[in-house]
Amino acid sequence: MRPVGGREMLGKGGHAALTLMSLLLLWQEAAAIEVPPDLKQPPTIIKQSVKDYIVDPRDNTIIIECEAKGNPVPTFLWKRNGKLFNIGKDPRVTMRKRLGTLEIGFRNGGRPEDYEGEYQCFASNEYGLALSNKILLRVSKAPLWPKEVLDPVVVDEGSPLVLPCNPPPGLPPPLIFWMDSNMTPIPQDKRVSMGLNGDLYFSNVLVQDIQNDYSCNARFNFTYTIQQKNPFTLRVQTMEPYNDTSYNASDPYGGRKVAESPPTFLSPSGSESSKMVLRDEQLLLECIAAGLPTPTIKWFKRGGDLPAHKVKFENYNKTLKIPRVSEEDAGEFVCMANNHLGTIRHSIDVQVKAAPYWLDKPTNLVLAPEENGRLVCRANGNPKPNIQWLVNGEPLNKITETPTSANREVLGDTILFRGVQIGSSAVYQCNASNQHGYLLANAFVNVLDMPPRMLGPKNQLIKVIVNNRTFLNCPFFGSPLPELRWFKNGQGSGLDGGQYRAYINGTLEIKRAQKEDEGIYTCVANNMLGKAENQVQLEVKEPTRIIQAPTHQSVVRGSKASFHCKVVSDSSLPSKVTWTKDGEPLYLGWRLKKDEESLTISSVSEDDEGIYTCTVKSEIDQDSASARLTVLEDASLNPSVFSAFPPDRPDPPMDLDLSDPAARSVRLTWIPGNDHRSPVTEFLVQFEEDRWEPGRWQDLSSFPGDLNSVILQLAPYVNYQFRVIAINSVGRSLPSRPSPRYKTSGAPPDAIPRDLHGWGSEKDNMEITWESLDDLERNGPNLQYSVWWRRKDSGDDWTNVTTFHTKYIVHPTETYVPYEIKIQARNDFGSGPESNIVIGFSGEDKPTDTPTELRLSTVSSTRATIHWKPVDLSSVQGEFKEYRLYYWRESSLVPGLVVSKEKKTTGFYTTVPEPSGILKDLVPYSKYKMFMVVANSRFESLPSNSVEFTTVEDVPDAPRFFRINRRSLDTLYLEWGKPLEPNGILIGYKLIYYRVNGSRLGPQQIETFQPNVTEFILRLPDRSARYKFNLSALTQVGAGEVYAEESPHFTNEAHIDQVDIATQGWFIGLMCAIALIILILLIVCFIKRSRGGKYPIRDKKDLPLDPVDQKDQDGSFDYHSDEDNKPLQGSQTSLDGNVKESDDSLVDYGEGGDGQFNEDGSFIGQYTVKKDKDETEGNESSEATSPVNAIYSLA
């Protein structure tokens, strides 16, 4: 199972309520049903030969296939040309064992032609008989060309000519071609070409056409043989002598005068003709004209444009081809031939008929006893096909009435079954036929009584990529049709809606898978006979992506090239990186090396040029990126080509030109600009139109960098202009100048309005809504929408309305009835295609009935089994969604416990006569109230009777909290909170604890406490003891959920709750370290001051020293010399020029002549200013004995 489309879908369809004429019946809408092969069932044809079966006469064996399945295994018989084919009497014919396939052998003689005819296979068992198609067996024929003597063909120069082929009729028809005696094809062009009938047409003959071996050849594909007609000899008469050397393409007549002629038609003849073609076959129309100069052929369709997306022109515009024709292609096609002498036209009336084709093919129907059902066989064609019903190969209108036939009724293309019984199984055939062909379909009605069963593998593991659309399959079977619902992780009331969509065949769609969608999905199928379920595990993975893609490389020959390719993927998904060149695998060797994130090519040569693609694959996804390698000429060999300039963005393309205009296309040609040393890899064509979004340039198409002339596919009724952008490895060029404008002609819309829905906003209406066509899908002015609707299966005619809007409200309607809806866009040029029919519903109303007799059978602590009397589903007046139970907790039986009375809901989807359900997740020991309603998509019914009930007592929840503290070295303090939900009357608490010794546990010890006790002190035998605790609350029912804790591992006394930090060793050590650091800093400071030298002796006794010593850049102090006449830094100068003493002079710190340390440890006295020089010298002499110098000398 993977998240991809086109999945095999097994299962059965849903139910729909409808009115047919005056009867109200419940029909089973069934898709094609796959009945498990081990169950009894009528035969089904599973393989047969094609209707028109042509065989090769050279084969030794003819095989006519017919295979069928069924239980019991079917038996087979054949009819040939409407009569029983007795296989046993013909020794050449055998039937394969357990199969109906015929083998007709010719190894021992016999002719295949003797077995031509119409064959039909019959497969039967005790439950019915199935028919194959009528197989027309024909033997391929390759008749010889009749012997004939062909006279030379003589024609005047410039005249038209037809060389007839007239091939022999073969089966199938041969392929015709013209060749000469050297087996060289005859050149064909605008002047000379072969027609659809095989004849060779010359619009005018040249002397150069003279040849004696024009030979028509017929190739028969089945026999692989080529037959050749006797060759024609062509002779051309000229009015003037012919000189071989005078021929040239611009003057094919070599200067001779040749009479010109106006156009005439060689094929078809006349001015009108008709053509009939069957739907889905190939339409070929041909016009070949004679004339000189050679006429030009053009085609058009009266009353509208040629369908450009379907029409192809071949054979130099002489043949118009529509590969698969449809009814809208019918009409009058006109071909026009013209040269400068005149114009002629030929009109071809094309009629499109149709062999029968299916609108609603009958499919197998499985019913339970007493169920109703129907088979529908709808086909269309032109003329309208006749519908005939058969049962077990016999026409229904010729069957003698039986008890089982009374339960069926034929209404044209529908058979109704009512109250079927065991034993009424059969195979029904629908034959739709008209003069152009027939359709035959088998569909069995199998009456079974079978409980649900799952058909898919059990417990699948599905891996998908995040954000991807995902399908989970759950194929199932049962009769009556089971109801299937999906659940995730065993919870919820069924997955359907939002990002989930459940299909009737058992498939669950997840629109965008996310990580939160991971889990176990369970599908449960129920019917009245039982239930079955299966599970799918979904894993959502991150995508495998290339996050660093390789870039275009331009390298010099002989150098090295590297492409980088960095990938990321889900860690649980192995991925593999591979490299290819131009789509072919790369073979690694000494020159090509690959590692995890790159590919390296050594000694690059011209052969290495190309597109390199990095592909990373995981088991569920992949990513790829490509880059071009361009090999440049060696700069040393041609210095003028390469320079030191790096590659740059290309210049914009120039000279945009439009040519070859058509209804929905035009050719755009441009001249590329300079690529600036990096080859152009891509051209981007953009367009702008002036009607819907003028001025906005939009991307139209991208083209390879080696093209400069392209055909642009356009939309009708748009006034275009174009521009081109060149792209190389460096980036994009600027846009080119815009092209001239090109306006396409209008046409009917091609698109069908999307998202068609029908739904009721009120009980008596239906809103039909759809998405508007995009601007470029309008194809013409005055866009409108034609909407049709009719009551489903009522046989009423369609009602329709045309509107400019995207919504239409149908009013009045009955409540919740199904409608068939379709839509079509139209404009002034005509109508577009019709949409498929979708089913919509009118509005819903409030259900008229309500569930009754709501009651309980069993009630436990958390669950209650409920029962109720269901409503008639027709009273729901809408889509039945569920029986919705409202319930709430009225109170707790625990005295004083306050509870929330919030209402909750749960849904039960069931249609059984005596429904029941289980109400889960209740709170024990509580009083509840509940009531039930029935719900459709919009409304709920009135509530049922209310029911009160109480749940029984249960074990309590875990304590609200459990904490362990250590308040001293030898005790643990335990405290806990009461459970939030006691679920009964608390009778106490139980504490179980063990001493932990490494990985071993000591003996169990138990303590019990009264319900009002919420703390406990445990004495420890030693300080290192550790314990594991399990605490639970108790009710009469028993012990509740355990709250487990473990005491901390106390390695030292720092973990005790109350600690004197001043007595801790780490704190004392930290303080000592801080004190030591401070002492060292002081000592360093003293040393620095000492290194600065002596303070100078001032000449003036009243001149104070600086209050602040200034530092040099190197960090030393700068002391001023006694010669300085400047004021000391830090002092102030008075107004009269005198220096004012500093307020903070060193004099103030002096205490006499002796240098002493002050209280802060400084030594100031030594540097105090003295009264005379002797005193100063005395101080200097005492410097060596100072404490600072002593320290300095030690340093």
Side-chain angles (χ1 to χ4, degrees):
M1 187 189 313
R2 295 182 300 170
V4 295
R7 314 174 61 77
E8 180 182 358
M9 293 187 176
L10 303 176
K12 298 180 66 178
H15 292 284
L18 56 91
T19 302
L20 180 61
M21 303 173 72
S22 60
L23 302 173
L24 292 173
L25 299 171
L26 184 66
W27 304 116
Q28 177 176 320
E29 292 285 304
I33 296 172
E34 191 71 23
V35 180
D38 59 314
L39 298 182
K40 301 296 183 184
Q41 57 185 292
T44 301
I45 301 289
I46 58 175
K47 190 175 184 181
Q48 57 184 312
S49 294
V50 295
K51 290 180 182 178
D52 192 6
Y53 187 26
I54 302 174
V55 297
D56 190 338
R58 299 172 301 173
D59 291 341
N60 291 323
T61 304
I62 294 175
I63 297 174
I64 310 176
E65 292 182 319
C66 178
E67 297 181 14
K69 65 177 182 178
N71 191 354
V73 176
T75 58
F76 298 87
L77 61 85
W78 285 84
K79 285 186 178 182
R80 179 185 174 200
N81 297 328
K83 297 180 180 180
L84 182 64
F85 186 30
N86 193 336
I87 299 170
K89 290 186 177 181
D90 193 330
R92 294 191 183 92
V93 182
T94 58
M95 186 186 299
R96 291 180 181 173
K97 188 176 181 180
R98 297 177 67 87
L99 299 175
T101 298
L102 293 183
E103 295 185 358
I104 308 173
F106 303 101
R107 294 184 183 276
N108 298 320
R111 296 185 332 122
E113 290 80 0
D114 296 338
Y115 290 87
E116 288 186 322
E118 188 177 71
Y119 292 78
Q120 189 170 25
C121 172
F122 298 76
S124 63
N125 63 16
E126 61 187 88
Y127 296 102
L129 179 143
L131 309 179
S132 74
N133 290 321
K134 292 182 178 179
I135 302 166
L136 180 60
L137 176 67
R138 296 187 291 172
V139 177
S140 174
K141 296 176 176 60
L144 297 176
W145 226 299
K147 296 295 183 181
E148 56 184 338
V149 177
L150 301 176
D151 294 329
V153 178
V154 180
V155 63
D156 292 334
E157 185 177 19
S159 298
L161 173 66
V162 179
L163 296 181
C165 180
N166 300 324
L171 184 68
L175 178 67
I176 306 300
F177 54 96
W178 287 78
M179 305 186 80
D180 60 18
S181 57
N182 295 322
M183 300 304 290
T184 302
I186 300 298
Q188 298 189 31
D189 52 22
K190 180 181 177 181
R191 183 180 63 87
V192 181
S193 63
M194 186 182 75
L196 296 177
N197 61 356
D199 295 348
L200 189 63
Y201 291 86
F202 295 77
S203 295
N204 50 78
V205 175
L206 302 178
V207 175
Q208 291 75 25
D209 296 327
I210 295 174
Q211 197 168 308
N212 59 5
D213 54 358
Y214 285 95
S215 180
C216 181
N217 297 264
R219 184 172 68 200
F220 295 89
N221 288 334
F222 261 80
T223 58
Y224 302 102
T225 59
I226 296 177
Q227 296 191 28
Q228 191 175 64
K229 183 183 178 77
N230 285 345
F232 287 96
T233 297
L234 176 60
R235 297 174 182 173
V236 180
Q237 295 180 339
T238 61
M239 301 296 294
E240 299 180 17
Y242 171 67
N243 182 0
D244 284 343
T245 61
S246 62
Y247 175 77
N248 63 73
S250 60
D251 182 14
Y253 304 105
R256 302 183 308 279
K257 294 181 180 180
V258 179
E260 295 183 336
S261 60
T264 58
F265 280 116
L266 299 176
S267 175
S269 59
S271 61
E272 294 182 355
S273 61
S274 63
K275 175 87 171 180
M276 192 278 287
V277 64
L278 292 181
R279 181 179 187 265
D280 288 335
E281 290 187 353
Q282 180 174 266
L283 173 64
L284 291 172
L285 302 179
E286 180 180 66
C287 274
I288 301 178
L292 185 63
T294 303
T296 299
I297 304 294
K298 292 184 179 180
W299 293 86
F300 61 92
K301 186 178 181 183
R302 294 197 189 277
D305 294 332
L306 290 170
H309 62 288
K310 297 173 68 175
V311 170
K312 297 181 180 179
F313 297 103
E314 299 178 345
N315 199 16
Y316 308 96
N317 230 40
K318 301 173 188 178
T319 303
L320 181 148
K321 175 181 175 181
I322 299 180
R324 291 189 63 187
V325 73
S326 56
E327 286 85 347
E328 59 265 25
D329 296 323
E332 186 177 353
F333 290 77
V334 178
C335 67
M336 181 177 69
N338 73 295
N339 61 17
H340 70 269
L341 298 180
T343 299
I344 59 172
R345 289 177 172 82
H346 183 93
S347 176
I348 306 174
D349 182 24
V350 174
Q351 300 178 24
V352 180
K353 303 293 184 180
Y357 56 92
W358 291 118
L359 298 178
D360 198 348
K361 186 177 179 181
T363 54
N364 294 335
L365 183 61
V366 177
L367 297 173
E370 299 299 331
E371 271 197 319
N372 305 320
R374 64 174 180 166
L375 288 177
V376 178
C377 176
R378 293 197 181 106
N380 200 2
N382 187 4
K384 189 171 182 63
N386 177 53
I387 302 294
Q388 180 190 23
W389 283 102
L390 303 90
V391 58
N392 296 329
E394 296 294 331
L396 264 180
N397 55 6
K398 296 182 180 180
I399 298 260
T400 306
E401 290 293 327
T402 64
T404 58
S405 64
N407 294 336
R408 67 178 177 238
E409 179 182 2
V410 179
L411 297 176
D413 58 11
T414 302
I415 302 180
L416 306 179
F417 299 92
R418 304 184 186 88
V420 297
Q421 301 297 323
I422 295 288
S424 58
S425 298
V427 183
Y428 290 81
Q429 288 84 31
C430 172
N431 183 24
S433 60
N434 66 12
Q435 66 196 62
H436 302 297
Y438 76 93
L439 295 172
L440 178 68
N442 294 276
F444 64 63
V445 175
N446 199 11
V447 182
L448 292 173
D449 219 4
M450 177 65 57
R453 61 190 293 187
M454 293 296 168
L455 304 181
K458 293 284 188 181
N459 303 322
Q460 297 180 80
L461 171 61
I462 307 302
K463 300 176 183 179
V464 300
I465 296 299
V466 67
N467 291 327
N468 274 8
R469 187 182 182 200
T470 303
F471 293 93
L472 306 182
N473 275 350
C474 181
F476 65 99
F477 182 80
S479 182
L481 173 69
E483 299 167 0
L484 186 128
R485 305 189 80 186
W486 283 90
F487 303 89
K488 181 184 177 186
N489 296 330
Q491 300 176 357
S493 58
L495 300 176
D496 195 7
Q499 68 166 337
Y500 298 106
R501 181 180 179 186
Y503 292 87
I504 59 176
N505 64 341
T507 297
L508 178 69
E509 175 188 352
I510 305 175
K511 296 176 182 176
R512 291 187 67 189
Q514 304 294 323
K515 275 290 185 182
E516 53 267 26
D517 293 320
E518 287 189 325
I520 304 290
Y521 289 79
T522 305
C523 58
V524 181
N526 286 279
N527 69 10
M528 64 177 63
L529 301 177
K531 81 172 184 178
E533 64 179 52
N534 198 0
Q535 290 186 339
V536 179
Q537 181 178 350
L538 180 66
E539 293 183 358
V540 181
K541 306 295 185 181
E542 291 298 324
T544 303
R545 293 183 296 113
I546 296 176
I547 59 174
Q548 182 183 352
T551 57
H552 299 302
Q553 301 282 325
S554 297
V555 299
V556 175
R557 184 178 64 242
S559 61
K560 182 172 70 173
S562 293
F563 291 106
H564 294 279
C565 182
K566 187 174 182 180
V567 304
V568 294
S569 62
D570 195 286
S571 58
S572 63
L573 288 179
S575 60
K576 182 180 180 181
V577 176
T578 57
W579 289 86
T580 59
K581 175 180 177 285
D582 297 329
E584 298 296 328
L586 273 179
Y587 298 98
L588 304 179
W590 70 272
R591 282 199 321 110
L592 277 74
K593 295 183 180 179
K594 182 188 82 168
D595 58 26
E596 289 185 359
E597 296 185 358
S598 65
L599 173 73
T600 302
I601 307 172
S602 303
S603 301
V604 171
S605 66
E606 288 82 354
D607 293 339
D608 294 321
E609 271 199 343
I611 302 294
Y612 288 79
T613 301
C614 165
T615 301
V616 54
K617 289 185 179 180
S618 72
E619 62 181 280
I620 57 177
D621 72 333
Q622 69 176 49
D623 193 13
S624 62
S626 300
R628 178 188 294 273
L629 175 62
T630 302
V631 179
L632 307 177
E633 183 181 349
D634 191 341
S636 62
L637 301 178
N638 191 355
S640 63
V641 176
F642 300 100
S643 66
F645 293 110
D648 199 356
R649 296 189 304 170
D651 289 341
M654 302 173 292
D655 297 341
L656 271 63
D657 180 62
L658 298 177
S659 60
D660 300 343
R664 296 200 184 188
S665 66
V666 70
R667 178 176 291 278
L668 175 65
T669 305
W670 64 88
I671 297 175
N674 191 327
D675 64 8
H676 292 291
R677 301 166 297 283
S678 178
V680 173
T681 59
E682 182 182 352
F683 287 106
L684 174 64
V685 178
Q686 296 181 323
F687 75 94
E688 182 265 349
E689 50 81 27
D690 60 1
R691 179 173 286 110
W692 312 113
E693 295 182 274
R696 177 173 174 253
W697 288 93
Q698 304 175 57
D699 292 347
L700 180 61
S701 296
S702 294
F703 300 95
D706 55 355
L707 296 181
N708 72 323
S709 182
V710 296
I711 298 292
L712 303 179
Q713 300 301 321
L714 309 177
Y717 197 61
V718 178
N719 192 19
Y720 287 97
Q721 66 174 345
F722 307 98
R723 69 183 188 185
V724 184
I725 296 174
I727 303 172
N728 64 9
S729 62
V730 179
R732 292 185 173 196
S733 72
L734 295 173
S736 68
R737 291 182 177 273
S739 71
R741 286 204 174 266
Y742 178 70
K743 186 175 182 179
T744 54
S745 57
D750 300 313
I752 298 173
R754 295 170 287 273
D755 203 22
L756 178 63
H757 283 96
W759 59 280
S761 58
E762 301 292 341
K763 65 181 181 180
D764 57 352
N765 77 3
M766 178 178 65
E767 289 193 7
I768 304 175
T769 60
W770 59 92
E771 285 187 10
S772 167
L773 294 189
D774 295 338
D775 292 336
L776 293 180
E777 295 175 331
R778 293 170 174 261
N779 290 7
N782 295 324
L783 178 68
Q784 302 177 70
Y785 303 97
S786 295
V787 187
W788 287 267
W789 70 91
R790 69 180 177 188
R791 184 81 169 267
K792 187 173 184 291
D793 297 318
S794 65
D796 295 342
D797 291 335
W798 289 94
T799 304
N800 74 295
V801 69
T802 300
T803 177
F804 290 97
H805 306 291
T806 57
K807 180 172 75 172
Y808 183 78
I809 299 178
V810 180
H811 178 84
T813 66
E814 296 182 29
T815 301
Y816 198 67
V817 292
Y819 283 85
E820 293 179 328
I821 309 169
K822 60 182 180 178
I823 194 170
Q824 176 188 51
R826 60 186 306 140
N827 59 26
D828 286 354
F829 293 96
S831 300
E834 291 183 5
S835 70
N836 293 327
I837 293 175
V838 302
I839 305 301
F841 285 86
S842 56
E844 298 178 317
D845 200 358
K846 290 185 178 180
T848 56
D849 289 355
T850 188
T852 57
E853 300 180 18
L854 181 63
R855 58 187 176 86
L856 295 97
S857 59
T858 58
V859 180
S860 67
S861 58
T862 59
R863 291 187 171 204
T865 303
I866 61 172
H867 305 264
W868 66 93
K869 186 176 180 181
V871 302
D872 185 344
L873 291 183
S874 63
S875 70
V876 176
Q877 299 203 94
E879 180 186 3
F880 171 60
K881 298 299 286 186
E882 64 186 359
Y883 290 100
R884 190 170 295 154
L885 185 74
Y886 286 86
Y887 65 99
W888 64 96
R889 190 179 180 192
E890 185 69 19
S891 63
S892 172
L893 299 181
V894 177
L897 185 63
V898 179
V899 301
S900 169
K901 295 185 178 182
E902 177 187 0
K903 283 185 179 178
K904 298 181 180 180
T905 63
T906 186
F908 302 96
Y909 183 91
T910 177
T911 57
V912 298
E914 297 181 359
S916 63
I918 297 177
L919 182 58
K920 303 177 183 179
D921 300 326
L922 302 175
V923 179
Y925 209 56
S926 300
K927 179 191 288 187
Y928 277 88
K929 287 185 178 181
M930 67 178 182
F931 64 81
M932 179 175 281
V933 297
V934 65
N936 57 34
S937 297
R938 295 187 62 202
F939 299 103
E940 295 179 350
S941 69
L942 294 173
S944 69
N945 57 299
S946 294
V947 176
E948 290 189 4
F949 65 95
T950 58
T951 53
V952 300
E953 190 173 16
D954 204 348
V955 297
D957 288 354
R960 186 159 46 91
F961 64 87
F962 183 24
R963 290 194 287 264
I964 304 173
N965 295 316
R966 189 167 188 174
R967 296 185 175 175
S968 65
L969 297 176
D970 56 355
T971 60
L972 289 178
Y973 178 73
L974 285 64
E975 61 177 339
W976 59 87
K978 292 183 177 182
L980 290 176
E981 287 292 349
N983 297 340
I985 302 298
L986 285 181
I987 62 172
Y989 298 93
K990 180 168 69 173
L991 178 67
I992 302 175
Y993 58 98
Y994 315 83
R995 183 166 181 177
V996 180
N997 184 12
S999 61
R1000 294 179 298 170
L1001 298 177
Q1004 172 180 297
Q1005 301 180 60
I1006 301 176
E1007 297 283 351
T1008 58
F1009 308 98
Q1010 292 298 316
N1012 59 344
V1013 176
T1014 58
E1015 58 183 27
F1016 174 61
I1017 296 176
L1018 176 64
R1019 299 289 179 181
L1020 301 177
D1022 58 71
R1023 296 183 179 182
S1024 62
R1026 295 175 56 223
Y1027 285 87
K1028 183 176 182 181
F1029 299 93
N1030 293 331
L1031 178 67
S1032 58
L1034 304 172
T1035 62
Q1036 293 290 349
V1037 180
E1041 184 181 348
V1042 171
Y1043 198 136
E1045 281 288 354
E1046 191 170 328
S1047 63
H1049 191 186
F1050 301 111
T1051 56
N1052 56 53
E1053 294 147 0
H1055 291 85
I1056 301 175
D1057 288 350
Q1058 297 177 350
V1059 179
D1060 184 3
I1061 193 171
T1063 63
Q1064 302 303 302
W1066 63 269
F1067 182 76
I1068 296 172
L1070 179 62
M1071 292 298 101
C1072 292
I1074 292 173
L1076 180 60
I1077 291 171
I1078 293 173
L1079 180 61
I1080 292 172
L1081 289 174
L1082 288 173
I1083 294 173
V1084 170
C1085 181
F1086 295 155
I1087 292 173
K1088 287 289 186 180
R1089 295 176 69 98
S1090 174
R1091 283 182 177 178
K1094 302 185 294 290
Y1095 280 101
I1097 304 301
R1098 309 297 180 182
D1099 291 336
K1100 297 181 179 179
K1101 296 181 179 180
D1102 58 347
L1103 186 64
L1105 294 176
D1106 287 348
V1108 178
D1109 296 326
Q1110 302 299 310
K1111 289 185 178 181
D1112 288 339
Q1113 290 183 354
D1114 61 356
S1116 62
F1117 287 91
D1118 179 22
Y1119 300 103
H1120 300 292
S1121 67
D1122 53 357
E1123 288 83 14
D1124 288 345
N1125 294 321
K1126 298 181 294 182
L1128 292 176
Q1129 187 174 358
S1131 63
Q1132 299 175 356
T1133 307
S1134 63
L1135 294 176
D1136 58 2
N1138 294 326
V1139 177
K1140 183 181 177 182
E1141 288 187 355
S1142 169
D1143 293 336
D1144 191 17
S1145 170
L1146 287 174
V1147 177
D1148 298 334
Y1149 296 97
E1151 293 183 353
D1154 298 329
Q1156 302 293 329
F1157 285 101
N1158 284 346
E1159 292 178 358
D1160 61 355
S1162 62
F1163 39 98
I1164 298 173
Q1166 179 176 336
Y1167 302 106
T1168 304
V1169 177
K1170 298 300 178 179
K1171 300 296 181 181
D1172 52 34
K1173 185 177 180 181
D1174 294 335
E1175 291 177 345
T1176 303
E1177 291 173 351
N1179 286 334
E1180 289 174 351
S1181 63
S1182 64
E1183 202 174 84
T1185 61
S1186 70
V1188 175
N1189 284 331
I1191 295 174
Y1192 179 76
S1193 63
L1194 291 174

